[in-house]
Amino acid sequence: MRAAGGAPPVEWRVGEGLVDYEEAVAFMEARAAAIASGAARECVWLIEHPPIYTGGSSAKAQDLLDARFPVYRTGRGGQFTYHGPKQRVAYVMLDLTRRRRDVRALVCALESWIIATLADLGVTGKRRAARVGVWVERPDKLKGPGGEMAEDKIAAIGIRLRQWVSFHGVALNVAPDLTHFSGIAPCGVREAHLGVTSLADLGVTAEMHAVDAALRKNFEAIFGPTELV
């Protein structure tokens, strides 16, 4: 998913504090339009949100179990998810016209990015054909009804395209309050042997700056150079 030769480095931004969701969406929409017109560079924006639930284009009303936090309906792909403090959200604004006009390939590349980042942090992440996102096997938990290995999602992925520019992106659970996911059926998943986890839940102590460094390193390996602004 590297850009064609001669493309400038991707702008790499790291937000401070908790960023309001509507503010983030407004920024992404404006930036995506500017990228499409050639007026701005591609951009990755790392932020944290206050506690919220967001519902993608496939979100079902019955999967919102307890609206204890503000709920935002958004045009990204996917279903309901939670965002909150100590979860690293990476909004990815890339020009697929310069890269590859293939949404499935982009999602696969984003999964590869997270899997490589997790490997640097000592966690084995896996992709599943029927479940978007990155998963971790949990042999310490009860198996499924058919003897399936228990698995927990550690990173969610949901993107949207406009004029072949992506926005929205990925959410990696570093050390959020996992009880907040109980207000939804995360990504529509209700099976008892499939849950949600985080680096902290897996016993990995990682400061956000270390996670960010691993994200940047592995992004560059897959998508190409970045420049911090």
Side-chain angles (χ1 to χ4, degrees), residues 25 29 65 69 72 80 99 109 116 123 145 150 187 201-202 204 214 216 221 227-228:
V25 171
E29 290 184 340
L65 308 176
F69 302 121
Y72 295 93
F80 276 109
R99 294 175 180 271
V123 173
C187 301
D201 182 50
L202 295 171
V204 177
R216 187 177 181 188
E227 182 177 52
L228 183 65

Side-chain angles (χ1 to χ4, degrees), residues 71-84:
V71 179
Y72 295 93
R73 292 284 186 163
T74 179
R76 64 159 173 79
Q79 302 184 47
F80 276 109
T81 195
Y82 164 80
H83 294 311

Side-chain angles (χ1 to χ4, degrees), residues 172-204:
L172 173 61
N173 296 330
V174 178
D177 185 339
L178 295 179
T179 66
H180 294 338
F181 283 91
S182 64
I184 56 173
C187 301
V189 176
R190 291 176 177 267
E191 292 90 335
H193 68 292
L194 301 177
V196 180
T197 190
S198 67
L199 291 172
D201 182 50
L202 295 171
V204 177

